[in-house]
Amino acid sequence: MSLPVSRTAAHARARSRSRSRTARLATATVLAGVALAGTGASFAQAAAVRAVSAEADARPEADRGVTRAGILARAQTWIDAGVPYSMNGFRQGYRTDCSGFVSMAWGLAESAWTGNLDEFGVRITKGQLQPGDMLLHHNPDNPERGSHVVLFAGWANDAHTRYVVMEETPSYGAVKRTIPYAYNTNADAYVPYRHKRLQDDGDSGEVGGTQGGGTQADDQSGGDRGDRGGGDRADRGGRTADFPGARYFAPGQRNPYVTRLGEGLVKKGYGRSYAVGPGPQWSEADRRAVRSFQEAQGWRGAEADGYPGPHTWRLLFS
């Protein structure tokens, strides 16, 4: 949460930090460029220029296009870094509280707060939620009590009663976890929004559903429930909801289903284990990516072994 009384001061600090950072990057770029202009410029100097440019590109700018993949990737950087929660702290020019986290992931020019984040989005329904959208709760009477905002990262069960959330919290810092819809507290107060400038909005109404017979009981029991061997079904018309069978995902296997699996994992934000991107050859990178997705559902042990079954497949492509 963030308070309206401190919004002006917080924005001023964010702008000051951003301008200072931009100036430092510009100076570093010029100096590195001058060094390169000299005779016998080293590879180290060239690397310095690339590093400066990469750092400048790391912070999203307001005039850049916004994509779901970009939103999730930016959010994941704070989660991977374990950025702690603070209403007074800043990272990359953004406040490190819940609204600053969403502002960063959405690529806003500066940190918004729970009282004005809705201005940057379009209100949608629960059935229209897709990864990268936000769920916002603002208590105007007392913003300190209950106000919060999170990123929606995908449904965790076919009943749409649980979902994967990416958020900044006082208890956990930047975290990705599975929680009940719409939140653990004040669930009825959360409103879903979609970024106004989203470029790759593939909204087609209700996302997911119960294709393949998935139920809330499936989610509560966890994992693929030992059904990997008997879950083989024909791929009717190429529909991704139909699990092709466990035999396609094992060492030595090479087929289009492996590629489809990898692409689905990358789209959901679980592609960090791929060095060059998913392909048709089953590899350890595929297994690690699947395991990360399974663990994000709260599964452990044999239910998160990195090999997809019918339940993993349905959740991944819902």
Side-chain angles (χ1 to χ4, degrees), residues 194-245:
R194 177 160 299 155
H195 200 304
K196 281 183 177 179
R197 300 192 339 272
L198 191 67
Q199 287 190 341
D200 59 347
D201 183 5
D203 174 34
S204 58
E206 181 71 21
V207 181
T210 56
Q211 292 171 316
T215 66
Q216 185 176 1
D218 289 339
D219 180 70
Q220 292 171 338
S221 65
D224 290 293
R225 306 170 66 196
D227 193 29
R228 294 192 180 93
D232 195 12
R233 290 167 52 183
D235 185 37
R236 305 186 192 98
R239 280 170 35 190
T240 55
D242 295 317
F243 180 60

Side-chain angles (χ1 to χ4, degrees), residues 1 71-72 75 97-103 105-106 114 117 129-138 146-153 163-169 173 175 177 179-185 190-194:
M1 86 193 86
I71 291 171
L72 297 176
D97 60 7
C98 63
S99 50
F101 173 77
V102 172
S103 298
W106 270 27
T114 54
L117 265 170
L129 274 167
Q130 295 186 49
D133 296 335
M134 75 171 174
L135 286 161
L136 173 66
H137 166 40
H138 177 64
S147 293
H148 191 46
V149 62
V150 304
L151 284 178
F152 177 86
Y163 71 105
V164 179
V165 65
M166 303 173 84
E167 59 179 333
E168 183 76 56
T169 73
V175 65
R177 56 184 179 143
I179 63 172
Y181 186 85
Y183 203 71
N184 296 317
T185 58
Y190 282 79
V191 179
Y193 288 89
R194 177 160 299 155

Side-chain angles (χ1 to χ4, degrees), residues 259-292:
T259 302
R260 183 184 300 176
L261 173 74
E263 291 172 345
L265 289 163
V266 170
K267 186 176 181 180
K268 290 277 190 178
Y270 297 90
R272 294 184 60 222
S273 61
Y274 294 108
V276 295
Q281 183 70 50
W282 175 262
S283 68
E284 180 62 15
D286 295 298
R287 194 188 71 82
R288 289 198 301 268
V290 172
R291 183 178 62 189
S292 295

Side-chain angles (χ1 to χ4, degrees), residues 48-95:
V49 173
R50 289 194 297 270
V52 169
S53 298
E55 185 182 357
D57 288 340
R59 187 181 188 278
E61 299 296 339
D63 59 348
R64 294 183 183 173
V66 179
T67 65
R68 296 189 185 281
I71 291 171
L72 297 176
R74 286 190 291 271
Q76 189 65 45
T77 62
W78 279 27
I79 293 169
D80 290 342
V83 177
Y85 179 98
S86 173
M87 292 178 64
N88 299 312
F90 285 82
R91 182 183 178 90
Q92 297 173 287
Y94 294 97
R95 202 173 51 251

